[in-house]
Amino acid sequence: MSQSTLTPPGQQTPPPTDAGSPLGNGLKQRHLSMIALGGVIGAGLFVGSGAGIAAAGPSIVLAYAASGILVMFVMRMLGEMSAANPASGSFSVHAERAIGPWAGFTAGWMFWTLLCVGVAIEAIGAAHIMTGWFPGTPSWMWVLVFMAVFCGSNLAAVSNFGEFEFWFATLKIGAIALFLGLGVLAVLGALPGTGAPGTANLLHDGGFLPNGVEGLLVGLLASVVAYGGLETVTIAAAESENPVEGVAKAVKTTMWRIAIVYVGSMLVIVTLLPWNDPAVAADGPYAATLDHLGIPAAGQIMNVVILIALLSAMNANIYGSSRMAYSLVARGQGPKALGKVTGRVPRRAVLASSGFGFTTVLLSYWYPDTLFAWLLNMVGGVILVVWGFIAVSQFVLRRRLEREAPGKLVVRMWGFPYLTWVALAGVAGVLVLMALGEDTRIQVIFTGGLTVALAVTGWVLQKRAAARV
């Protein structure tokens, strides 16, 4: 068990880092840059944003802008800590150093559960697309194929994961760039066969806030979920050639990309299409917009892009969950059997993470309305709890770094400590909104139960470890 786990919080301890880690360092700067950008372009953006538009109307632009600012703050805080002390456990390690082992245990295993359930959701979605292309083929077969491919790629050298994500992200970025290019031309009336829509779709059909503040809040909740995935880059940075420089560059360049990809896309969509067009929710806003522009086979084009996004997320989630599990075990906060590293890869952690993901796929078939739904609700607010841990950890560690090692502050959180408090208030505010909403209240309850259960377990383990010292 590591010294950081044995020592109660408040005492001076060597911070847990990945110095001398047996893990590889095969990720290059181009991998990290694409992982950072590709992580924000997922199926939640291509498909899930349709529900947000249907609820918020044109004000979905404000919802994505507001949640985007919150995500920028979170990533800046996480980037500050990760550049100062790169670690494969990322925010779990930072929470342990700042708050105590129980906090690292709670944040780490919560995120691991979220990623593993995410693998199942993405595998099911990808299989659904494949059965549409190949009628008569069983869905489970495609799930098995995808799980085998990405489990296998993650069992090999970390550079394999990096290459997969590099090309996946390249394709997603190309698709978004093409969409935005066509969309801007259509908004300006420069695309053949289209006229400039002006502000008609933004201000008519109920106005900019057709469903009032309540609709805007629903859109805000949908947008927060869509931003999940950015955290993986700080996990991956620990296995890069230059972790400090790598994570600093990746985090800094992600900021403006969020605005272009998310806010820009939403603005183009609600400018070109009526927000209440049934196709926005039924076919997805991107496919509906391409159909509106007369792009041939728009639906199938988007299916290809969505499939790539799903497979990219599967790959990243297996990687992220395995490294988080390895980091927890290395700090004495998990089953020792998962800590073995072979060929500079934590292969047992990869298999365990993939196995849990595959098990949740089976649960979705066996108990779609009970156990699997329970798992989905349980992880519904996990990312917000993790962001809360990040904000508190950054507040504590920033003060400590300023006293003990100011030279490590390669990336600095803007407006510290005020914007750190703003970010923490934003996280709390979204959780309150979820608790007030009928459709999201159950997620807060289940996520709260998971948080309490892990926190109590982590606290008990921390006390036992301290008693043995």
Side-chain angles (χ1 to χ4, degrees), residues 377-448:
N377 284 325
M378 187 173 64
V379 300
V382 162
I383 196 63
L384 288 164
V385 177
V386 168
W387 289 355
F389 274 115
I390 290 171
V392 174
S393 301
Q394 187 269 338
F395 184 84
V396 174
L397 294 179
R398 172 64 174 269
R399 297 293 195 195
R400 191 179 300 170
L401 282 171
E402 287 176 339
R403 291 193 310 267
E404 301 174 2
K408 287 189 172 184
L409 286 169
V410 179
V411 178
R412 290 175 178 261
M413 174 59 180
W414 309 296
F416 179 81
Y418 307 107
L419 291 186
T420 297
W421 284 113
V422 169
L424 194 56
V427 169
V430 175
L431 284 171
V432 169
L433 293 175
M434 290 181 68
L436 295 176
E438 291 186 16
D439 296 333
T440 52
R441 186 178 300 122
I442 187 66
Q443 295 181 16
V444 176
I445 294 172
F446 276 78
T447 300

Side-chain angles (χ1 to χ4, degrees), residues 232-264:
T232 303
V233 68
T234 58
I235 296 175
E239 293 184 77
S240 65
E241 296 173 327
N242 190 333
V244 175
E245 181 182 350
V247 74
K249 284 185 177 180
V251 169
K252 287 177 180 178
T253 56
T254 298
M255 302 298 101
W256 60 268
R257 290 167 176 172
I258 289 176
I260 293 176
V261 170
Y262 275 88
V263 182

Side-chain angles (χ1 to χ4, degrees), residues 29-30 32-38 40-41 72 173 176 180 227 230 249-264:
Q29 182 59 46
R30 66 183 179 90
L32 286 182
S33 297
M34 283 301 186
I35 290 169
L37 183 52
V40 302
I41 305 175
M72 286 184 185
I173 293 165
I176 284 286
L180 288 174
Y227 280 118
L230 276 168
K249 284 185 177 180
V251 169
K252 287 177 180 178
T253 56
T254 298
M255 302 298 101
W256 60 268
R257 290 167 176 172
I258 289 176
I260 293 176
V261 170
Y262 275 88
V263 182

Side-chain angles (χ1 to χ4, degrees), residues 290-291 293-301:
L290 292 177
D291 275 330
L293 298 179
I295 306 299
Q300 289 305 319
I301 291 173

Side-chain angles (χ1 to χ4, degrees), residues 185-255:
L185 289 175
V187 168
L188 297 176
L191 195 67
T194 63
T199 60
N201 293 322
L202 293 173
L203 302 179
H204 296 174
D205 293 320
F208 191 73
L209 277 164
N211 294 319
V213 176
E214 183 178 350
L216 175 61
L217 295 180
V218 174
L220 179 65
L221 297 178
S223 63
V224 167
V225 174
Y227 280 118
L230 276 168
E231 303 80 12
T232 303
V233 68
T234 58
I235 296 175
E239 293 184 77
S240 65
E241 296 173 327
N242 190 333
V244 175
E245 181 182 350
V247 74
K249 284 185 177 180
V251 169
K252 287 177 180 178
T253 56
T254 298
M255 302 298 101

Side-chain angles (χ1 to χ4, degrees), residues 331-407:
R331 289 177 278 137
Q333 297 181 348
K336 291 183 179 179
L338 300 184
K340 184 178 176 60
V341 175
T342 308
R344 308 202 76 178
V345 175
R347 289 176 178 163
R348 291 183 181 179
V350 170
L351 290 172
S353 300
S354 301
F356 187 86
F358 188 71
T359 300
T360 52
V361 172
L362 296 177
L363 294 177
S364 74
Y365 291 119
W366 295 335
Y367 310 104
D369 300 320
T370 52
L371 190 54
F372 189 62
W374 178 79
L375 279 173
L376 289 177
N377 284 325
M378 187 173 64
V379 300
V382 162
I383 196 63
L384 288 164
V385 177
V386 168
W387 289 355
F389 274 115
I390 290 171
V392 174
S393 301
Q394 187 269 338
F395 184 84
V396 174
L397 294 179
R398 172 64 174 269
R399 297 293 195 195
R400 191 179 300 170
L401 282 171
E402 287 176 339
R403 291 193 310 267
E404 301 174 2

